[in-house]
Amino acid sequence: MCIAIPAEVVSVDGVSAVVDVYGERFVVSLLAMSEAVEPGDFVALQARYYAVTKIAREEARESRRLLEELFPELVDRARTAGAAAAEAGQ
Amino acid sequence: MPEPRAPPQPKPGNSVDDSPQHAALLGSSPVGLAWPALEQWIRLDAASVDGRLVARTLTSARADGIAGALAGRPVQSVPRLLPQLFPLCGTAHAVAGVAAIEEALGIVASPAELAFRELILLAEHGAALGWRVLMDWAPLIGQPPEAHACGEIRRTAAAVGATASAGAERGHWARIGGTRRRPDRNGLGRTVSEIARRLVDLFPEAADPVLSLGGLERAMQRGASIPARMISGARAGALAEYGRHDRPLLASRTADWFAARLAAEPGFCRAPTLDGIPAEVGPLAAQRHPMVADAVAQWGPTLATRLLAAALDAPVVAQRLQRTLDRLADADPVEVDLARSGCGTGIVETARGPLAYFIEVEGGRAKMLRSVAPTEWNFHPDGPFMAALAAAPRLPDPVLAARLLAASFDPCVPLRIEMAPDDRPPPNAGSAHHA
């Protein structure tokens, strides 16, 4: 089973977007999305490169709270990676 | 109850995956395309020995015990939380979870509610088929992923759920006992017809329902669709005998069968077996299309047969969507007593195979919750994927063959193949040294 951490859309450029997961930022394709997104929205990612499902903001925040509760080490790792990326200027 | 386990961090290595084809869609980017810290994957460590791929270990970096971590929560919150944890296949998790809870509480949802759940499960199944063919298979025959076409199928699948839910409140499809529902049947008819057409178009060579296996094979040899090219390629040369293994096929099992194992064996969730032997699940085992049995008989349980079984799910799901639509009616909730206690099991058939949930409810809370998903069967460390690799004939490109094999077993996370170099000396190294 594949858990999916909601990624926050930072910017949209045509059919791609930059998303943020605890400070880690990635470019993802929006081609497989079933609905339009804008900055501030949350999406689920599949196969690393694709945003596939829009998640209501309150549900996304609840999901993150749940995952932070269940997997604190995982979330800490993501935050560490995000901080390192920010320091490297990404 | 095992604690949820976070996945280990990916390690750099000689990794083989489909990244170049997918990354190419995004062009140059100012931000990272590396493996995210939260990415989940299955890793095959293998070596190239004398021109063969020798599989060493298969490890899963997927978090486990997730569903179990919901134990202790109010039972009515469980079906709502499951799709938040698993949004990529959220319908299957929610429907399996709610079915387990209803059985535990002695609730029988209305036939109309069950038809609704079946319809949205089939829509999610259709979306997964689109991903399988257009996104996973396309790079394996050297063409770019067809993300836009995949998105069209996903949008249509989402529209099926939205149209079928007319008049229902938010979060309705995960409500214990069902809810009041007044679907727009005309609008739903159009949406179901559209997704059915898109699914049939995935594998147009198989659209003729009276086609024989021989006729289909000839049509695939002339065909241009992704499945036709994949399957025809897998029927050629040494690949035609590739993909066989000696593990059993897990045909459909009852809720009682899953309940006995999920309740008694905590390890069953992560490494399920059929009475001690890892087994194959999925389209080849389920044989949802009659031609799959013909292919097993004539081609054997090979890579090509497994790919064919997966591709034939497209016309099967298209037909089932239409049939389920005929059973859809106005639905109303049944009475629910959340204070009851009991155990229940819910099983749904997904694109990859059975997803089963077992729950024990006590005092309005989920006392124990366990689940097992298809990837745990096929990618068991000693399961059918590894057994098929071990039985592989000599192949011109064993790494590509392993990727094809993995695609035929369809893991729900990316498979990374880490190749170690051949550590044996070349055949003439000794004589060269002594020369």
Side-chain angles (χ1 to χ4, degrees):
Chain A
M1 288 172 281
C2 40
I3 56 169
I5 290 82
E8 185 172 2
V9 177
V10 175
S11 62
V12 176
D13 180 11
V15 293
S16 65
V18 175
V19 298
D20 180 292
V21 183
Y22 292 118
E24 272 196 296
R25 292 193 169 191
F26 309 99
V27 179
V28 296
S29 169
L30 300 176
L31 283 169
M33 281 291 294
S34 56
E35 54 192 317
V37 294
E38 58 185 41
D41 284 340
F42 286 85
V43 292
L45 306 181
Q46 183 164 357
R48 196 168 15 152
Y49 296 116
Y50 299 94
V52 290
T53 304
K54 186 173 171 178
I55 305 171
R57 294 181 187 192
E58 187 46 47
E59 281 186 15
R61 293 190 184 101
E62 187 175 1
S63 294
R64 283 194 170 193
R65 281 194 295 272
L66 192 59
L67 290 161
E68 287 159 14
E69 183 185 331
L70 299 179
F71 301 110
E73 291 176 11
L74 191 67
V75 173
D76 283 349
R77 183 197 307 163
R79 285 185 170 132
T80 303
E87 198 171 317
Q90 285 191 351
Chain B
M1 174 61 57
E3 289 296 310
R5 189 185 61 87
Q9 200 156 11
K11 297 187 177 78
N14 185 17
S15 189
V16 181
D17 62 21
D18 297 332
S19 299
Q21 290 97 326
H22 292 288
L25 282 182
L26 300 170
S28 60
S29 161
V31 294
L33 286 171
W35 287 90
L38 295 175
E39 182 74 34
Q40 296 178 87
W41 34 264
I42 294 171
R43 171 173 164 156
L44 171 67
D45 280 281
S48 175
V49 177
D50 196 20
R52 287 174 180 268
L53 182 147
V54 176
R56 306 285 195 213
T57 56
L58 189 67
T59 49
S60 173
R62 301 191 309 142
D64 68 352
I66 305 165
L70 296 180
R73 293 175 186 268
V75 69
Q76 68 269 30
S77 72
V78 170
R80 182 177 58 79
L81 293 173
L82 287 172
Q84 291 186 27
L85 288 170
F86 307 106
L88 303 179
C89 41
T91 302
H93 284 273
V95 170
V98 82
I101 293 167
E102 287 173 348
E103 186 181 84
L105 297 177
I107 295 166
V108 179
S110 70
E113 178 67 24
L114 296 177
F116 167 79
R117 292 176 189 170
E118 189 175 332
L119 189 76
I120 58 172
L121 273 172
L122 285 166
E124 186 172 82
H125 191 154
L129 292 176
W131 191 281
R132 171 189 287 164
V133 170
L134 300 167
M135 305 298 284
D136 291 340
W137 289 10
L140 293 169
I141 55 170
Q143 73 176 58
E146 296 188 18
H148 182 72
C150 180
E152 289 299 314
I153 293 177
R154 294 185 59 83
R155 278 184 277 281
T156 315
V160 169
T163 315
S165 308
E169 59 195 299
R170 187 175 174 80
H172 57 91
W173 50 276
R175 192 168 298 281
I176 300 165
T179 191
R180 184 179 188 277
R181 208 182 303 283
R182 298 293 181 265
D184 167 13
R185 289 181 56 81
N186 289 333
L188 200 50
R190 288 190 295 273
T191 314
V192 165
S193 293
E194 185 183 345
I195 192 171
R197 177 183 59 77
R198 290 185 186 280
L199 290 174
V200 169
D201 285 350
L202 282 176
F203 192 17
E205 293 83 0
D208 181 352
V210 297
L211 206 59
S212 66
L213 180 62
L216 176 59
E217 188 161 27
R218 286 189 292 278
M220 288 193 295
Q221 286 162 356
R222 297 188 302 270
S225 74
I226 294 169
R229 293 165 62 195
M230 279 278 281
I231 297 161
S232 294
R235 287 281 292 148
L239 277 179
E241 290 301 313
Y242 185 49
R244 294 175 185 270
H245 61 76
D246 59 0
R247 305 295 186 260
L249 302 178
L250 186 82
S252 64
R253 286 292 186 276
T254 63
D256 286 347
W257 188 89
F258 275 101
R261 284 148 186 85
L262 284 167
E265 306 168 27
F268 187 81
C269 304
R270 185 158 180 83
T273 64
L274 175 60
D275 301 326
I277 304 171
E280 176 174 352
V281 299
L284 178 60
Q287 304 202 355
R288 289 186 271 262
H289 192 290
M291 208 181 289
V292 178
D294 296 341
V296 171
Q298 295 181 36
W299 301 353
T302 58
L303 167 69
T305 302
R306 198 167 287 109
L307 292 170
L308 178 68
L312 285 172
D313 266 2
V316 167
V317 170
Q319 190 178 56
R320 288 186 181 178
L321 276 162
Q322 299 277 8
R323 285 183 183 164
T324 306
L325 179 62
D326 294 338
R327 293 195 284 116
L328 203 66
D330 290 354
D332 290 293
V334 299
E335 196 172 328
V336 172
D337 178 5
L338 294 174
R340 290 184 64 169
S341 297
C343 296
T345 310
I347 306 170
V348 298
E349 193 63 26
T350 74
R352 298 181 173 91
L355 171 66
Y357 268 80
F358 174 82
I359 190 165
E360 183 178 356
V361 180
E362 190 176 280
R365 293 187 177 270
K367 185 178 178 189
M368 179 174 78
L369 187 63
R370 289 179 181 161
S371 65
V372 62
T375 298
E376 270 64 60
W377 289 94
N378 289 337
F379 292 87
H380 185 293
D382 192 29
F385 173 66
M386 290 296 272
L389 286 175
R394 185 175 295 278
L395 297 161
D397 187 342
V399 175
L400 175 60
R403 291 171 61 209
L404 288 166
L405 186 69
S408 76
F409 281 110
D410 198 12
C412 68
V413 293
L415 177 84
R416 306 174 64 188
I417 301 176
E418 302 289 344
M419 292 298 297
D422 188 345
D423 51 6
R424 299 189 322 168
N428 59 352
S431 55
H433 177 76
H434 293 290

